[in-house]
């Protein structure tokens, strides 16, 4: 279980004590009832703002029978990975009878911040993918439970669903080496200033298997990006006989480009993706992948949000992990 201590949330009782009125008076003021003195109402509203008190829409829903609403933030719904994660979240939310509002930020920082500004006051909890700083998240979501997906957090204010693919990547590289491949390349995500965690896993696995991990180029997260990156990789390292890719979409582009180059997969070039998308089973040959349970990823985030909203003990760090495993198809 997590050793972090959650900061105490400001309650309606705190506001009442600050102003020197009853809890009922605070409730009437916040709900804009007529049977309260105007000056008292203003003092309550001022205190609530200064203390950072945000009335829980979930708690109000228990009285009014409103439906709880979750804001699900996705960077790119055109990417099947995020679509599968969203499907898992929607299915889990449906079991609670909740509404889910899905926001696509187009993987742009400005869209992400704009989305946060819009949704924070309109939903009961926020779940999804964010690249902004934790200070920015705190600024826009104060008082709202937040569950991050696929990102480490250093703040007790947020929960985080992590992806652990280290063992899966090691299994992938070990499988390729056992099949006779020693010149293995990687197509990493090129949208970051630093190497991805998946490249770090690749480097560790290569070292453990006694092979060189220097055959790496960046790839745009698309099939076209995968094809272009394979051409770049082979131009720089024509001896490559196997490739691990940052995700399955890149790998599918590699399959297409290998066919164009006259390379048979897996005879001339073995290919292993990462994510385990259902789409991978539909290509030829079927894609091998370091596979995640993508639907469980979304469902686990909703489960944690439900615990935070209802006051049930939240899942600890060791329970908020989705581990990837090697799933062999026909491409490696």
């Amino acid at each position: 279980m997590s050793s972090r201590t959650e900061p105490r949330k400001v309650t309606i009782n705190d506001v009442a004590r600050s102003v020197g009125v009853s809890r009922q008076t605070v409730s009437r003021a916040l709900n804009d009832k007529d049977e309260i003195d105007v000056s008292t109402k203003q003092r309550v509203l001022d205190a609530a703002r200064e203390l950072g008190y945000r009335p829980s829409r979930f708690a109000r829903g228990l009285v009014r029978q409103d439906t709880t609403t979750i804001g699900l933030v996705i960077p790119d719904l055109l990417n099947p990975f995020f679509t599968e994660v969203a499907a898992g979240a929607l299915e889990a939310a449906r079991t609670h009878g909740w509404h889910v509002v899905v926001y696509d930020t187009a993987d742009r920082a400005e869209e992400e911040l704009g989305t946060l500004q819009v949704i924070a006051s309109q939903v009961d909890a926020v779940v999804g993918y964010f690249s902004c700083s934790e200070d920015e998240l705190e600024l826009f979501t104060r008082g709202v439970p937040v569950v991050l997906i696929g990102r480490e957090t250093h703040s007790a204010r947020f929960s985080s669903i992590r992806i652990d693919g280290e063992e899966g990547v090691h299994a992938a590289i070990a499988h390729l080496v056992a099949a006779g491949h020693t010149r293995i390349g990687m197509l990493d995500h090129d949208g970051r200033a630093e190497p991805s965690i998946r490249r770090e896993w690749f480097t560790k696995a290569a070292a453990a298997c006694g092979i060189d991990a220097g055959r790496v180029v960046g790839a745009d997260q698309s099939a076209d990006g995968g094809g272009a990156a394979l051409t770049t990789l082979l131009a720089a390292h024509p001896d490559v006989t196997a490739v691990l890719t940052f995700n399955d979409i890149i790998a599918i582009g590699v399959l297409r480009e290998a066919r164009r180059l006259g390379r048979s997969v897996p005879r001339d070039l073995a290919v292993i993706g990462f994510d385990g998308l259902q789409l991978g089973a539909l290509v030829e040959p079927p894609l091998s992948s370091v596979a995640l349970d993508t639907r469980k990823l979304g469902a686990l985030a909703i489960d944690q949000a439900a615990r935070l909203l209802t006051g049930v003990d939240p899942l600890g760090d060791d329970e908020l992990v989705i581990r990837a495993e090697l799933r062999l198809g026909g491409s490696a």
Side-chain angles (χ1 to χ4, degrees):
M1 297 294 289
S2 172
S3 61
R4 297 197 304 252
T5 301
E6 294 284 343
R8 191 177 75 84
K9 186 176 179 180
V10 176
T11 69
I12 192 172
N13 291 326
D14 294 325
V15 178
R17 281 193 295 269
S18 174
V19 182
V21 298
S22 69
R23 175 192 175 107
Q24 290 76 15
T25 298
V26 173
S27 179
R28 293 189 185 101
L30 296 175
N31 287 285
D32 199 25
K33 298 296 184 180
D34 293 332
E35 63 270 20
I36 182 173
D37 178 72
V38 174
S39 62
T40 301
K41 180 187 297 186
Q42 189 60 52
R43 287 194 297 123
V44 169
L45 296 177
D46 290 343
R49 183 176 60 255
E50 290 172 5
L51 292 172
Y53 174 68
R54 180 181 182 275
S56 168
R57 289 185 67 252
F58 180 77
R60 296 201 305 268
L62 293 177
V63 176
R64 300 199 314 252
Q65 298 301 308
D66 287 349
T67 300
T68 299
T69 301
I70 305 297
L72 175 62
V73 179
I74 298 294
D76 183 9
L77 283 172
L78 292 178
N79 185 325
F81 172 79
F82 296 117
T83 304
E84 290 187 12
V85 173
L90 290 168
E91 184 177 7
R94 195 175 300 120
T95 65
H96 293 281
W98 293 352
H99 288 318
V100 176
V101 182
V102 181
Y103 299 86
D104 185 341
T105 63
D107 206 16
R108 294 200 296 264
E110 62 274 17
E111 290 289 337
E112 186 177 294
L113 292 177
T115 295
L116 282 172
Q117 287 180 298
V118 170
I119 69 173
S121 63
Q122 300 178 2
V123 300
D124 299 285
V126 175
V127 169
Y129 292 83
F130 298 94
S131 60
C132 62
S133 70
E134 293 188 352
D135 287 342
E136 289 171 318
L137 275 172
E138 172 65 30
L139 176 65
F140 291 117
T141 63
R142 190 172 184 181
V144 183
V146 177
V147 182
L148 309 174
I149 303 178
R151 168 177 171 172
E152 297 277 359
T153 178
H154 304 289
S155 171
R157 167 73 175 81
F158 310 116
S159 288
S160 175
I161 313 297
R162 297 183 297 109
I163 293 173
D164 185 353
E166 186 168 356
E167 291 185 7
V169 170
H170 184 277
I173 301 306
H175 169 78
L176 292 172
V177 171
H181 299 282
T182 58
R183 298 177 297 278
I184 303 171
M186 182 188 178
L187 303 184
D188 194 18
H189 175 25
D190 70 353
R192 298 184 173 92
E194 299 179 354
S196 70
I197 184 64
R198 297 180 187 186
R199 179 174 177 178
E200 292 181 21
W201 294 333
F202 168 69
T203 300
K204 288 182 180 180
C209 293
I211 64 170
D212 177 29
R215 299 175 177 87
V216 179
V217 301
D220 177 68
Q221 288 196 76
S222 66
D224 288 343
L230 177 64
T231 299
T232 301
L233 177 67
L234 293 178
H237 306 283
D239 59 345
V240 164
T241 61
V243 178
L244 174 74
T245 66
F246 177 84
N247 65 21
D248 284 354
I249 297 300
I250 291 173
I252 289 171
V254 168
L255 295 181
R256 185 177 64 187
E257 182 66 9
R259 188 177 302 113
R260 189 187 71 79
L261 295 173
R263 295 202 176 204
S264 175
V265 177
R267 186 188 64 205
D268 302 324
L269 184 71
V271 181
I272 299 181
F274 193 111
D275 284 342
L277 300 182
Q278 296 178 11
L279 180 63
L282 304 179
V283 298
E284 184 58 39
L287 184 64
S288 296
S289 184
V290 180
L292 301 164
D293 188 336
T294 51
R295 285 179 174 260
K296 184 178 179 181
L297 192 58
L300 187 59
I302 294 296
D303 182 18
Q304 182 73 337
R307 291 168 177 267
L308 295 172
L309 285 170
T310 58
V312 175
D313 287 342
L315 297 170
D317 289 348
D318 56 339
E319 300 171 284
L320 297 174
V321 181
I322 299 293
R323 290 181 170 81
E325 299 178 349
L326 178 62
R327 182 187 301 161
L328 292 174
S331 67

